[in-house]
Amino acid sequence: MINRRKFLQATAFTGFGSVLAKKVMASGAVNLKDYPVVISTWDAGLRANKAAWEILSKGGRALDAVEKGVMVTESEQNCCVGLGANPDRDGFVTLDACIMDEFANCGSVAFLERIKHPISVARRVMEKTPHVMLVGEGAQQFAVTEGFPLEKQELSPSAQKSYENWLKKSEYKPPAINVESKQNKDHGPFAPNKLENGEWNHDTIGMVALDANGNLSGSCTTSGAGFKMRGRLGDSPIIGAGLFVDNEVGACTATGQGEDVIRVAGSHTVVELMRQGFLPEIACKKAIERIIKVKGEKAKDIQVAFLAISKSGEVGAYAIHKGFSYAIKTKDKEELIPSNYIMR
Ligand code: ASP
């Protein structure tokens, strides 16, 4: 007798597999047959997608699009991406980023200081070294050797203010990604959540794209959780956790509490679920359910979201809590879509 798993595997590569997958697609998912398409996390993704689209719409490579796209966010004033972001608890901004292309080439930097575009350094690691990941001082040295300017060691005015606020209590807790849905009009209609003190503490940008040649790539860049322990890395620079691309199947990126994304090899898990025949939204939901199972009661205190695209251009997302949104851009679509979520 054929069990359900074998049935899904057996049908995944046939026309019937995709019919089956469509049947299990939940509401809120976007099903696109036309590509190129680019999707990215949070409302900053709207601006990042525009830059990616410049490349995709001219028939350019998804890899170039996902690099140029997130560079926009790295240059913006953002709580949680680029040199303007919140520092660690010792007052230093440390950046993490990774990138992956259609050939399973990948590059990553972590605990990188004073470099404006960690995503481009991650790409150089991928293209110019025999390694996948460089961290800390070594990553910085490599960046400088590659011609990236060493920026000043100083906090942006808004990060300085946030840090001063945080210093009043200097209370170190493990990165707490608040899940209260206090939305801020200035930050967009589907804003990420705020901490009790009114500060943003997560807003990583993850981007995945399918280009006109049908190839996938992805990027992810962050300063990580605000006021983290010095040296702490989350999921964002880790291939398979914050990002994973398999050009035969699909691509996924993650945002939220990195520790819990790592625990389930989140983005890789989502892509493997897509390989079994699940549409992106369902694959994301199943990975979120896995985190909730692992965390038990504590899942109510954390936010994690996955955002995925299939090889044929279907996209979908799922989060633990309300409040996550993703930006999408295709030839006739440019919008911010609220993600479905588990905890009501
Ligand atoms: N995933 C990031 C981290 O844990 C944080 C975020 O997405 O906001 O470093």
Side-chain angles (χ1 to χ4, degrees):
M1 203 175 76
I2 186 163
N3 66 28
R4 184 173 164 275
R5 187 151 167 263
K6 287 208 179 109
F7 174 69
L8 279 171
Q9 279 165 351
T11 56
F13 301 103
T14 65
F16 185 61
S18 55
V19 172
L20 178 79
K22 263 181 215 107
K23 277 195 180 154
V24 295
M25 188 172 78
S27 61
V30 176
N31 188 3
L32 297 155
K33 283 294 162 211
D34 53 341
Y35 48 81
V37 52
V38 55
I39 50 175
S40 54
T41 55
W42 305 109
D43 48 348
L46 286 171
R47 298 179 294 279
N49 284 358
K50 272 195 205 304
W53 189 251
E54 286 285 301
I55 292 164
L56 293 172
S57 60
K58 293 182 186 118
R61 195 175 165 203
L63 179 70
D64 296 322
V66 298
E67 180 191 4
K68 289 285 171 329
V70 302
M71 281 172 75
V72 169
T73 319
E74 287 178 341
S75 299
E76 286 177 345
Q77 176 55 59
N78 183 307
C79 69
C80 313
V81 180
L83 287 176
N86 288 338
D88 64 18
R89 66 178 184 177
D90 291 5
F92 301 99
V93 177
T94 71
L95 303 175
D96 305 332
C98 73
I99 194 159
M100 190 161 185
D101 75 5
E102 70 269 35
F103 304 110
N105 294 316
C106 44
S108 159
V109 286
F111 194 45
L112 178 63
E113 294 175 294
R114 299 176 59 190
I115 299 289
K116 190 171 176 190
H117 289 299
I119 196 64
S120 302
V121 186
R123 183 166 175 176
R124 298 282 175 95
V125 172
M126 172 175 100
E127 291 177 339
K128 295 205 165 178
T129 80
H131 308 302
V132 166
M133 195 164 192
L134 290 179
V135 305
E137 210 185 310
Q140 193 189 65
Q141 270 168 19
F142 170 71
V144 170
T145 313
E146 283 295 308
F148 291 84
L150 203 51
E151 309 290 339
K152 279 196 195 137
Q153 177 95 64
E154 66 184 10
L155 295 183
S156 67
S158 87
Q160 182 66 39
K161 213 171 126 216
S162 305
Y163 186 49
E164 279 163 17
N165 264 342
W166 181 81
L167 280 175
K168 284 181 195 151
K169 284 193 185 164
S170 290
E171 207 178 20
Y172 180 70
K173 293 190 195 132
I177 292 181
N178 197 351
V179 296
E180 292 302 318
S181 199
K182 288 180 198 160
Q183 307 222 319
N184 180 332
K185 288 197 186 69
D186 301 336
H187 204 76
F190 305 108
N193 304 311
K194 278 181 154 186
L195 292 175
E196 283 155 23
N197 65 5
E199 304 295 341
W200 302 111
N201 86 333
H202 67 121
D203 213 352
T204 293
I205 185 150
M207 175 180 278
V208 287
L210 181 66
D211 65 29
N213 293 317
N215 287 322
L216 292 160
S217 287
S219 60
C220 187
T221 177
T222 191
S223 60
F227 321 115
K228 60 194 174 186
M229 252 173 104
R230 186 147 176 81
R232 177 265 186 192
L233 303 184
D235 59 315
S236 306
I238 299 178
I239 298 293
L243 177 72
F244 195 70
V245 177
D246 183 323
N247 205 44
E248 285 182 357
V249 176
C252 176
T253 189
T255 182
Q257 186 107 337
E259 283 74 3
D260 296 306
V261 176
I262 294 171
R263 256 182 257 287
V264 299
S267 291
H268 181 260
T269 293
V270 170
V271 171
E272 288 306 303
L273 285 161
M274 288 195 280
R275 191 191 303 282
Q276 290 172 28
F278 294 103
L279 275 178
E281 189 184 26
I282 303 301
C284 291
K285 183 179 186 208
K286 285 180 171 293
I288 290 288
E289 283 168 348
R290 197 171 295 184
I291 292 176
I292 293 174
K293 193 171 173 203
V294 168
K295 292 295 283 185
E297 260 292 285
K298 290 186 189 147
K300 69 176 182 0
D301 301 325
I302 58 159
Q303 174 66 308
V304 171
F306 293 111
L307 174 61
I309 185 167
S310 72
K311 179 72 177 169
S312 49
E314 294 109 346
V315 309
Y318 231 90
I320 298 180
H321 295 277
K322 189 176 177 185
F324 171 63
S325 57
Y326 65 95
I328 181 166
K329 177 88 186 91
T330 67
K331 66 175 164 23
D332 40 33
K333 197 183 257 287
E334 181 167 12
E335 56 182 304
L336 195 60
I337 298 178
S339 162
N340 226 328
Y341 54 96
I342 303 248
M343 292 203 170
R344 305 269 155 183

